[in-house]
Amino acid sequence: MPRHEARRTDLARRRWLAAAVGGAACGVSRAAGREISLLNVSYDPTRELYQQYNAAFAEHWRARTGDRVTVQQSHGGSGRQSRAVVEGREADVVTLALSADIDQIAERARLLPLDWQGRLPHRSTPYYSTIVFLVRLGNPRGIRDWEDLAKPGVQVITPNPKSSGGARWNYLAAWAHALRRPGGNEAGAKAYLAALLRNVPVMDTGARGSTLTFIERGIGDVLLAWENEALLAVNRSARGRFEVVVPSSSIRAEPPVAVVDAVVDRRGTRAVAQAYLEHLYSDEGQRIVAENFYRPVMPAMASRYASRFPGVRLHDLPAVFGSWRQAQKVHFSEDGLFDQIYAANAQWQRMLCPSAL
């Protein structure tokens, strides 16, 4: 090759390499500075938790990758939120009140695999809670345990189990207590729930709505509440006006989380969505969980924050009800036990007050 052609070829090669390296560098810079958005479809009482957690995760992810993450939140009754995702709401992740609601997304819409609960530690439950009673300061009605909620004249505030996962935990906690007390049986538990539900003057669609009914509207003598919701009220939003009553037994309420595969694969957000849920198990995530009055599941952080939570005997749902699928079918399906009790109570009310017809 003539010398002048060799020089031109070498110069072209150098220019090509410079352009390639520069382009690659620019590509890395652009990738590292991506703007990413996620949608977390959650249930009612997690607003404060995820407001704090989302900001912490965004900082964590930017330090790790350079990407800027914005997490949008959607809140409502867990059952309604599940149906919204089935019907097309584009959730990258769901953080709902109970596994049955995520099962519905897997079974009805095929948006994630049926074995979703085995993909993260502790059956995809990074925190748990239980059901307690929130009463007005001084506890004027002297409410101490579940039996007091069925006494005539006591007004109990709880949301509708047909739309609220928290309401289903409330109902099952009451059923488990009635079933497992000395001499308890299925017939007695059903009669007890009928008496309790007759004392419910209004059923909101979600747990936060019931909290507002009790705290802001002043309706009711006692609110059946997630422990975190009750502790949030007495420590922050309604300090000095209410107190928490811990019953002799309750239920271990486990709100699970999951990546919605079909959505993250379509949007290209799988890596960040997976990291978003995994970070809930980190020390930072568990600290934020505890600061928002959920119980951490990781042993070290659970031990560190143990004094924040009252001791209570917790019924395990599988031990009492078999599984969430069984509980859903027996108690909350069409014409299940809740519907039977509700219909019987309506008939009882019509007989008691015929003028209402």
Side-chain angles (χ1 to χ4, degrees), residues 45-46 48 129-136 157 170 207-208 210-212 214-215 222-247 291-295 308-310:
T46 60
E48 294 78 12
S129 190
T130 189
I131 304 304
V132 298
F133 308 157
L134 187 68
V135 299
R136 305 191 188 281
I157 302 301
N170 293 349
R208 182 55 60 89
S210 285
T211 300
L212 294 175
F214 183 70
I215 291 178
V222 55
L223 171 70
L224 286 184
W226 289 91
E227 178 184 55
N228 63 284
E229 188 85 333
L231 291 175
L232 181 68
V234 299
N235 286 282
R236 296 183 191 171
S237 61
R239 184 188 293 271
R241 296 165 53 198
F242 301 91
E243 59 187 84
V244 175
V245 173
V246 180
E291 288 175 354
N292 286 275
F293 305 107
Y294 284 92
R295 298 186 179 218
R308 174 171 287 228
F309 302 101

Side-chain angles (χ1 to χ4, degrees), residues 43 95-99 124-129 169 226 253-257 294:
Y43 67 106
T95 57
L96 296 178
L98 41 99
S99 61
S124 291
T125 304
Y127 44 82
Y128 70 102
S129 190
W169 283 117
W226 289 91
E254 298 181 316
V257 302
Y294 284 92

Side-chain angles (χ1 to χ4, degrees), residues 150 171-172 174-181 183-198 321 330-331 335-345:
Y171 172 105
L172 294 179
W175 186 281
H177 176 84
L179 185 66
R180 292 297 175 88
R181 65 187 174 183
N185 54 41
E186 294 280 339
K190 186 175 180 179
Y192 166 73
L193 261 295
L196 189 160
L197 290 172
R198 281 197 293 270
F321 300 97
V330 171
H331 292 274
D335 298 322
L337 285 172
F338 172 76
D339 282 355
Q340 295 172 30
I341 292 169
Y342 196 82
N345 278 355

Side-chain angles (χ1 to χ4, degrees), residues 117-161:
Q117 206 160 4
R119 300 194 297 185
L120 286 168
H122 296 275
R123 291 177 54 78
S124 291
T125 304
Y127 44 82
Y128 70 102
S129 190
T130 189
I131 304 304
V132 298
F133 308 157
L134 187 68
V135 299
R136 305 191 188 281
L137 192 64
N139 194 7
R141 298 304 297 261
I143 293 165
R144 301 297 176 194
D145 213 342
W146 292 98
E147 286 77 11
D148 297 323
L149 305 187
K151 291 178 178 178
V154 174
Q155 284 197 331
V156 180
I157 302 301
T158 183
N160 189 337

Side-chain angles (χ1 to χ4, degrees), residues 3 19-20 29 32-33 37 40 65 93 95 127 130 143-144 182 186 215 265 276 323 328-329 338:
R3 183 174 298 177
S29 176
S37 66
N40 176 4
T65 68
V93 299
T95 57
Y127 44 82
T130 189
I143 293 165
R144 301 297 176 194
E186 294 280 339
I215 291 178
D265 288 342
Y276 176 78
S323 69
Q328 179 72 25
K329 180 179 180 181
F338 172 76

Side-chain angles (χ1 to χ4, degrees), residues 41 64 71 73-74 82 90 235 257 266 272 307 317 352 354:
V41 172
R64 177 179 165 184
V71 184
Q73 287 296 133
S74 172
S82 172
E90 293 264 293
N235 286 282
V257 302
R266 181 167 60 252
V272 65
S307 62
L317 184 141
L352 190 68

